């Protein structure tokens, strides 16, 4: 729930989603659902030399189960709040 | 291991695929004059695309009895591609969960070998529609069906439905732990303006942490490769 809530806050921001197959896609976070499936808009592949055929797509759906990392915008992270929230969850869980 | 892309031959007399109705599988969408391109192979001659609540099936019109199917569970990514530099036709680009040790050029190394092993190594499929204007609608159907097919071991992180920031009246808070009282509610959980939080008691905006979340395990396992990758 923490992740879902947190990602909801990032809607509209630029993120980079790294997949378990090493593909990294940058784009505007359009939406996220309960399974952490992610929709990006105005995407581009970070390593375009390696993945030329995915040069740019307008919108992209990524299955939550294949996401390895979501790289956040620096201003999208309030370390203190996140730290506090994770601690609270650990206690509450 | 995920089966990935498979051959499909269970075709009824009327030319439609036989679905697993007993398992609740239903037809969602049909596109005539649709072609598929497996891996780096050239597109197949046009056929018919059947999208069901469980999988995507393509049947050839030229070669009766020939078809492919892939479960939504194995479609890991889909996107509308209109960049003609990336691919000569507008298409729905999909990535497929393929066998370990996938050779990205599996379709190229032996285009005539259509055995199951070759198919299971195909990690990309492009769907080209006769009417490219339908690609967005097809994209949306794929999104919908993907959500109907969560991974068997997936955990849910909230209420049904997508959150895209447009509906701020109900953001699916979990009101789980009544004992948790904390005045210092993190700001970023409070998507509603102060005083307009839908009557929810902010002190109950507590979330369940899944300690056994598999993502944590992945992060540990792949920490090294990630660091190297940077």
């Amino acid at each position: 729930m923490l992740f879902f809530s947190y990602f909801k806050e990032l809607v509209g921001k630029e993120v980079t989603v790294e997949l378990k197959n090493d593909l990294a896609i940058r784009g505007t976070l359009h939406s996220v659902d309960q399974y952490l499936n992610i929709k990006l808009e105005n995407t581009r592949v970070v390593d375009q030399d390696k993945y030329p055929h995915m040069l740019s797509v307008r919108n992209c759906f990524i299955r939550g189960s294949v996401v390895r990392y979501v790289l956040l915008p620096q201003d999208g992270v309030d370390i203190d709040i996140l730290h506090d929230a994770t601690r609270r969850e650990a206690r509450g869980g | 291991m995920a089966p990935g892309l498979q051959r499909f031959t269970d075709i009824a007399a009327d030319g439609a695929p036989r679905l697993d109705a007993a398992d609740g599988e239903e037809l969602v969408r049909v596109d005539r004059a649709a072609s598929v391109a497996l891996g780096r192979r050239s597109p197949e001659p046009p056929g018919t695309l059947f999208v069901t609540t469980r999988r995507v099936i393509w049947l050839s019109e030229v070669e009766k009895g020939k078809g492919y199917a892939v479960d939504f569970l194995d479609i890991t990514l889909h996107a509308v591609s209109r960049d003609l530099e990336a691919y000569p036709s507008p298409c729905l680009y999909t990535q497929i969960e393929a066998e370990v040790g996938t050779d990205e050029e599996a379709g190229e190394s032996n285009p005539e070998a259509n055995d199951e092993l070759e198919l299971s190594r195909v990690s990309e499929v492009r769907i080209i529609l006769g009417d490219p204007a339908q690609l967005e609608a097809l994209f949306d159907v794929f999104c919908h069906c993907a959500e109907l097919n969560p991974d068997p071991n997936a955990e849910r992180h909230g209420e049904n439905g997508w959150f895209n920031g447009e509906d701020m009246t109900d953001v699916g808070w979990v009101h789980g732990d009544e004992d948790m009282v904390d005045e210092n509610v993190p700001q970023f959980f409070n998507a509603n303006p102060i005083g307009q939080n839908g009557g929810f008691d902010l002190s109950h905006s507590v979330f369940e942490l899944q300690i056994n979340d598999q993502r944590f395990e992945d992060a540990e396992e792949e920490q090294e490769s990630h660091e190297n990758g940077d």
Side-chain angles (χ1 to χ4, degrees):
Chain A
M1 192 64 201
L2 175 72
F3 289 106
F4 181 51
S5 305
Y6 187 66
F7 284 135
K8 287 195 293 194
E9 291 299 312
L10 294 173
V11 166
K13 294 198 164 134
E14 278 265 302
V15 298
T16 301
V17 179
E18 184 181 317
L19 277 55
K20 290 177 183 171
N21 66 5
D22 294 334
L23 178 67
I25 304 171
R26 188 159 177 77
T28 306
L29 185 63
H30 171 273
S31 49
V32 60
D33 76 357
Q34 58 183 327
Y35 300 109
L36 303 187
N37 295 326
I38 287 174
K39 280 192 212 173
L40 296 180
E41 282 185 331
N42 300 316
T43 61
R44 60 187 182 280
V45 170
V46 175
D47 186 355
Q48 296 193 343
D49 291 339
K50 197 172 168 191
Y51 304 96
H53 52 281
M54 277 205 62
L55 210 52
S56 66
V57 291
R58 201 172 64 83
N59 44 19
C60 181
F61 174 102
I62 302 164
R63 206 170 167 81
S65 57
V66 297
V67 174
R68 179 188 291 152
Y69 296 113
V70 178
L71 309 184
L72 313 170
Q74 203 148 28
D75 63 4
V77 188
D78 186 319
I79 300 293
D80 292 336
I81 289 176
L82 191 58
H83 197 164
D84 200 43
T86 48
R87 220 165 19 207
R88 180 179 297 105
E89 285 223 353
R91 265 192 282 135
Chain B
M1 186 59 217
L5 188 68
Q6 293 173 296
R7 180 162 289 283
F8 186 91
T9 55
D10 195 5
I11 303 167
D14 63 356
R18 282 198 192 88
L19 306 184
D20 190 355
D23 199 33
E25 183 178 23
E26 291 175 28
L27 196 58
V28 179
R29 182 185 167 96
V30 178
D31 285 281
R32 306 274 170 200
S35 181
V36 291
L38 311 185
R40 298 188 189 181
R41 300 183 206 184
S42 322
E44 303 273 347
T48 307
L49 187 78
F50 300 86
V51 182
T52 82
T53 47
R54 215 180 79 195
R55 55 193 162 164
V56 178
I57 301 166
W58 178 85
L59 300 180
S60 173
E61 256 159 45
V62 177
E63 215 176 310
K64 293 293 176 199
K66 178 183 183 180
Y68 304 113
V70 60
D71 288 354
F72 273 106
L73 275 175
D74 295 331
I75 302 178
T76 57
L77 178 155
H78 67 266
V80 175
S81 168
R82 293 187 180 278
D83 184 344
L84 300 185
E85 280 182 37
Y87 197 73
S89 316
C91 62
L92 189 73
Y93 170 85
T94 64
Q95 286 191 354
I96 310 293
E97 188 91 45
E99 290 285 351
V100 176
T102 291
D103 174 6
E104 282 191 9
E105 299 173 8
E108 192 177 53
S109 57
N110 190 357
E112 300 305 319
N114 279 332
D115 59 37
E116 304 301 326
L117 181 64
E118 286 290 318
L119 282 185
S120 66
R121 286 184 178 171
V122 171
S123 60
E124 294 177 326
V125 173
R126 289 179 178 79
I127 299 167
I128 301 135
L129 298 183
D131 177 10
Q134 287 294 310
L135 283 172
E136 264 74 22
L138 186 63
F139 176 90
D140 289 340
V141 166
F142 269 54
C143 291
H144 173 69
C145 293
E147 185 144 328
L148 293 178
N149 291 271
D151 292 311
N153 58 355
E155 56 173 293
R156 283 178 48 165
H157 292 264
E159 302 295 313
N160 285 320
W162 285 85
F163 181 85
N164 57 17
E166 287 166 10
D167 180 7
M168 303 296 273
T169 58
D170 181 2
V171 289
W173 299 119
V174 163
H175 309 278
D177 191 337
E178 298 292 323
D179 296 323
M180 286 293 294
V181 176
D182 197 327
E183 294 155 10
N184 188 19
V185 173
Q187 296 165 27
F188 63 73
F189 285 163
N190 183 10
N192 297 307
I194 290 173
Q196 298 175 30
N197 58 6
F200 294 155
D201 185 342
L202 287 180
S203 66
H204 291 165
S205 295
V206 177
F207 306 89
E208 298 172 63
L209 180 66
Q210 305 287 339
I211 298 291
N212 58 356
D213 190 319
Q214 290 195 333
R215 263 171 298 278
F216 290 130
E217 296 172 13
D218 287 341
E220 283 170 24
E221 287 167 13
E222 284 155 355
Q223 187 72 29
E224 194 182 349
S225 65
H226 177 69
E227 284 170 357
N228 293 341
D230 281 349

